[in-house]
């Protein structure tokens, strides 16, 4: 603007007769005003530059500082839960925590729940420390030494076996005064007798540890006893506290007292026995919610032919690595109106030829089971009639899984029919 006004002033002064005096004075006055504005702006710019040169550079913003944190800031119940979760991967994490500082060491040593998991693999002095610091809380005990059934008679192997048996004796001896606190017990051994402090002549079968009625809080029992099952002279007492029972290997009727109205979950593996034994055991536990039978087969099935097992509370049934005749026997006798989940895995190679039944002739239940929603089939290499039978027996399946089975185009049609409405499902199939 100042340049334009200066040019106008110059043009007027060159020919004053062409413009009035008022216009000339107005142009001169505005030109002076614009010139003044320019001088003021330049002065301000100079002052600003001088201030920038003389003032120190601004300091960087302070770093973000978080308040110091310590486990002591957590409520004790939260710290206990965190430690218990960490113990799932490291059973001794609480000991590591106690090495952080004195306050955490005091917390760990004064919290009995953190010392409630006792394992045969711990050194003897550590087992005693766990039992002492766990005070009166319930215990989770694990004693799973390696088995030596059928091992070669070699001096080194015999020494190892003898050493492990001696350790198990010491472990059980330390636990005896605390049996009333055992909440879960996982126990495995193939052959063992131990000093019982003069009871019964000084030597007692090892399973006498279980025979004693002191374990009143026991809810989970997992047993693999090997030859103990044949050496016992006493029957186990009735146990109404056990809610979850796992039996591995051969077992005898001496175990029947473990089956009671309070038993909710049962797992039996690796057994070949008369069907009457498992029938009587299941009959003694009519309130089962979950039943798993794995790698088992039955003989003398005719003794219980036509008998009925009423398991009104059973929700989950799993048969893994079983032959067709075993599955057929159970399906023929079990009545389970609340059953929602069924898993079946047939044995790849039958244990015995006389146990084998044609899978295409397998009948799941005498009547359809509309309560079943989840069906899991593994190694079921049946033809299309087998799958048609499945869908007739379980007309309300919502979740179906088929694995490790040879399926061809002929199997697809029953699967497609399964997705139709219940009224159309089998009418259109024409089977």
């Amino acid at each position: 603007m100042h340049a334009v006004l200066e040019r106008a002033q110059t043009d007027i002064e060159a020919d004053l007769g062409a413009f009035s005096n008022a216009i000339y004075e107005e142009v001169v006055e505005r030109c002076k005003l614009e010139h003044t504005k320019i001088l003021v702006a330049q002065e301000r710019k100079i002052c600003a530059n001088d201030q920038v040169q003389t003032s120190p550079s601004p300091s960087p913003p302070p770093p973000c500082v978080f308040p110091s944190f310590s486990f002591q800031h957590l409520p004790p119940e939260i710290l206990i839960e965190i430690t218990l979760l960490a113990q799932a991967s490291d059973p001794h994490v609480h000991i590591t925590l106690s090495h952080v500082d004195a306050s955490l060491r005091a917390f760990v040593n004064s919290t009995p729940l953190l010392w409630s998991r006792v394992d045969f693999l711990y050194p003897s002095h550590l087992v005693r420390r766990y039992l002492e610091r766990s005070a009166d809380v319930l215990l989770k005990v694990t004693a799973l030494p390696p088995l030596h059934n059928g091992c070669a008679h070699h001096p080194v192997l015999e020494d190892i076996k003898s050493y492990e048996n001696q350790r198990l004796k010491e472990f059980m001896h330390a636990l005896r005064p605390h049996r009333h606190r055992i909440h879960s017990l996982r126990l495995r051994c193939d052959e063992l007798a131990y000093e019982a402090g003069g009871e019964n002549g000084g030597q007692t079968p090892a399973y006498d540890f279980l025979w004693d009625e002191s374990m009143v809080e026991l809810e989970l029992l997992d047993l693999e006893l090997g030859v103990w099952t044949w050496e016992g002279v006493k029957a186990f007492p009735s146990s109404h506290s056990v809610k979850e029972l796992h039996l591995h290997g051969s077992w005898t009727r001496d175990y029947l007292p473990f089956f009671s109205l309070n038993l909710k979950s049962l797992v039996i593996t690796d057994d070949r026995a008369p069907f009457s034994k498992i029938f009587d055991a299941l009959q003694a536990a009519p309130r089962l919610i979950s039943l798993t039978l794995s790698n088992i087969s039955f003989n003398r099935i005719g003794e219980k032919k036509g008998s009925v097992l009423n398991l009104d509370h059973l929700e989950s049934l799993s048969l893994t690595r079983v032959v067709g005749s075993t599955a057929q026997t159970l399906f023929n006798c079990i009545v389970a109106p609340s059953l929602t989940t069924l898993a079946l895995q047939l044995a790849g190679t039958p244990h015995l030829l006389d146990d084998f039944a044609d899978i295409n002739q397998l009948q799941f239940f005498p009547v359809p089971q509309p309560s079943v929603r989840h069906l899991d089939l593994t190694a079921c290499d049946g033809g299309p009639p087998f799958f048609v039978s499945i869908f007739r027996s379980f007309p309300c399946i919502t979740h179906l899984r088929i694995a490790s089975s040879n399926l061809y185009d002929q199997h697809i049609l029953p699967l497609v029919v399964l997705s139709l409405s219940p009224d159309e499902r089998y009418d259109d199939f024409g089977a």
Side-chain angles (χ1 to χ4, degrees):
M1 178 60 71
H2 179 258
V4 172
L5 291 173
E6 280 188 337
R7 179 64 182 271
Q9 183 179 353
T10 303
D11 291 342
I12 293 173
E13 290 175 349
D15 189 4
L16 291 176
F19 300 91
S20 65
N21 191 44
I23 293 177
Y24 174 71
E25 292 177 354
E26 180 71 20
V27 171
V28 171
E29 187 65 27
R30 287 183 175 277
C31 186
K32 291 180 180 179
L33 180 61
E34 290 297 329
H35 183 66
T36 303
K37 289 181 179 179
I38 292 174
L39 293 178
V40 172
Q42 290 176 346
E43 185 68 23
R44 288 178 178 175
K45 185 176 181 180
I46 292 173
C47 292
N49 291 337
D50 293 342
Q51 185 177 4
V52 170
Q53 292 176 0
T54 57
S55 62
S57 59
S59 58
C64 184
V65 178
F66 294 98
S68 59
F69 172 79
S70 173
F71 280 113
Q72 290 90 332
H73 296 162
L74 293 174
E77 58 273 15
I78 300 298
L79 185 54
I80 291 175
E81 288 299 324
I82 293 175
T83 310
L84 291 176
L85 289 174
Q87 282 183 334
S89 56
D90 181 2
H92 304 302
V93 68
H94 59 292
I95 297 180
T96 304
L97 185 64
S98 69
H99 293 165
V100 174
D101 56 36
S103 59
L104 284 177
R105 185 178 305 111
F107 163 76
V108 170
N109 293 341
S110 61
T111 307
L113 191 60
L114 302 181
W115 302 87
S116 61
R117 300 173 184 265
V118 186
D119 199 303
F120 160 77
L121 299 178
Y122 300 170
S124 298
H125 72 279
L126 195 57
V127 170
R128 291 191 293 270
R129 182 181 303 174
Y130 269 69
L131 293 175
E132 175 185 351
R133 292 185 176 174
S134 60
D136 294 326
V137 301
L138 299 180
L139 299 175
K140 297 180 179 180
V141 179
T142 302
L144 300 177
L147 291 175
H148 298 281
N149 278 332
C151 67
H153 293 286
H154 190 281
V156 175
L157 296 178
E158 290 296 329
D159 290 344
I160 293 175
K161 181 177 179 179
S162 177
Y163 170 73
E164 290 176 348
N165 282 348
Q166 181 60 35
R167 285 191 57 208
L168 191 54
K169 292 177 187 178
E170 296 174 357
F171 182 74
M172 293 176 126
H173 181 73
L175 280 172
R176 286 182 71 87
H178 304 274
R179 281 181 292 183
H180 64 286
R181 295 199 287 131
I182 297 179
H183 181 260
S184 71
L185 174 63
R186 301 181 185 273
L187 181 60
R188 177 175 67 198
C189 191
D190 54 355
E191 183 180 2
L192 181 67
Y194 69 100
E195 273 301 323
E199 296 178 7
N200 299 328
Q203 291 293 329
T204 328
Y207 77 93
D208 185 52
F209 184 87
L210 297 170
W211 181 86
D212 188 281
E213 299 185 43
S214 301
M215 290 190 286
V216 293
E217 298 291 345
L218 186 65
E219 291 192 3
L220 187 152
L221 180 60
D222 189 319
L223 295 177
E224 185 175 355
L225 301 184
V227 297
W228 289 7
T229 57
W230 309 113
E231 294 180 353
V233 294
K234 301 176 181 178
F236 292 115
S238 297
S239 176
H240 298 291
S241 62
V242 176
K243 296 181 180 179
E244 184 174 351
L245 178 63
H246 297 205
L247 297 178
H248 307 275
S250 298
W251 51 282
T252 67
R253 291 182 178 275
D254 292 336
Y255 287 65
L256 288 180
F258 287 126
F259 297 83
S260 69
L261 294 175
N262 292 328
L263 190 62
K264 305 299 182 184
S265 177
L266 174 63
V267 178
I268 300 178
T269 65
D270 305 316
D271 188 23
R272 176 174 171 80
F275 177 62
S276 59
K277 182 179 73 172
I278 184 67
F279 184 93
D280 293 342
L282 294 177
Q283 197 172 42
R287 296 179 182 173
L288 277 176
I289 296 176
S290 174
L291 172 61
T292 299
L293 303 178
S294 176
N295 196 26
I296 68 170
S297 59
F298 303 138
N299 54 41
R300 292 156 47 187
I301 297 174
E303 297 177 0
K304 291 292 183 178
K305 187 175 182 180
S307 300
V308 176
L309 273 173
N310 291 304
L311 301 178
D312 295 339
H313 301 269
L314 189 65
E315 298 178 2
S316 174
L317 174 61
S318 177
L319 306 177
T320 62
R321 300 192 300 276
V322 299
V323 293
S325 61
T326 297
Q328 183 74 74
T329 301
L330 288 170
F331 292 144
N332 285 341
C333 70
I334 289 180
V335 176
S338 301
L339 187 65
T340 60
T341 302
L342 174 63
L344 175 64
Q345 178 184 354
L346 295 180
T349 302
H351 299 291
L352 291 175
L353 291 178
D354 60 355
D355 266 344
F356 184 67
D358 184 1
I359 185 174
N360 294 306
Q361 302 299 321
L362 183 62
Q363 299 295 322
F364 281 84
F365 287 93
V367 296
Q369 303 293 311
S371 62
V372 174
R373 295 291 189 270
H374 298 253
L375 181 61
D376 190 319
L377 302 176
T378 304
C380 296
D381 295 329
F386 170 72
F387 289 95
V388 172
S389 174
I390 287 175
F391 302 142
R392 290 188 185 278
S393 298
F394 311 110
C396 298
I397 297 173
T398 58
H399 296 77
L400 173 64
R401 176 182 177 272
I402 303 175
S404 302
S405 303
N406 295 319
L407 299 182
Y408 301 96
D409 295 343
Q410 303 94 311
H411 299 87
I412 302 301
L413 183 56
L415 296 177
V416 173
V417 172
L418 177 65
S419 64
L420 301 176
S421 65
D423 295 335
E424 300 172 338
R425 185 170 297 164
Y426 297 113
D427 291 343
D428 293 344
F429 189 78

